Amino acid sequence: MPSQLSALGANHELWLATEGAGSLQRRKLALSGLTDRFARILVSAEVGCSKGDPGFAQALLRLLDTADRTVCLVIGDSARTDLALASHGSWPALHICDPAACAVDEPGVRHGRGIADAAKWCGC
């Protein structure tokens, strides 16, 4: 996955939205060695609501406006949180899943087996 993130990060500024307690999520990310791949890390407990809550998308929109950025694609494996975040922000999404077996059928949602599939669906 690090090489896939590097490839995606060559043409995009990567932000990470993660669900959970700030200290725990940041420690797990640091242990994975992936922290430096992301320009911004948003943790649900620090934002004050779940990624699947409309308030998370609103907070993200405010940060995007401040940073003069837009969302190209939300990538995630959770229909409950990741795809909800994309929906609340009206952003396209790549659902990491088994495309042949996935029951998610929503407008703007594509399906792929991994981050490498993001290049197929990137709107940039």
Side-chain angles (χ1 to χ4, degrees):
M1 180 167 65
S3 63
Q4 294 170 345
L5 286 173
S6 293
L8 193 58
N11 297 315
H12 299 85
E13 183 177 279
L14 304 180
W15 288 24
L16 175 71
T18 185
E19 190 76 20
S23 59
L24 178 61
Q25 293 302 93
R26 290 182 185 282
R27 176 147 170 75
K28 289 191 313 186
L29 192 59
L31 289 171
S32 74
L34 298 175
T35 302
D36 65 339
R37 311 265 183 198
F38 300 99
R40 189 119 200 196
I41 298 168
L42 303 158
V43 183
S44 61
E46 296 169 357
V47 172
C49 54
S50 167
K51 285 192 302 181
D53 186 281
F56 197 102
Q58 292 168 356
L60 182 51
L61 280 166
R62 286 190 296 275
L63 291 170
L64 289 166
D65 285 345
T66 302
D68 194 29
R69 299 284 186 256
T70 60
V71 173
C72 168
L73 186 66
V74 173
I75 303 169
D77 61 357
S78 171
R80 183 180 60 80
T81 60
D82 300 321
L83 298 185
L85 174 60
S87 177
H88 292 310
S90 298
W91 302 307
L94 172 63
H95 186 214
I96 304 299
C97 61
D98 176 355
C102 185
V104 173
D105 183 21
E106 297 178 23
V109 176
R110 307 291 188 178
H111 302 271
R113 293 191 180 276
I115 294 172
D117 289 331
K120 290 187 242 179
W121 308 116
C122 173
C124 297

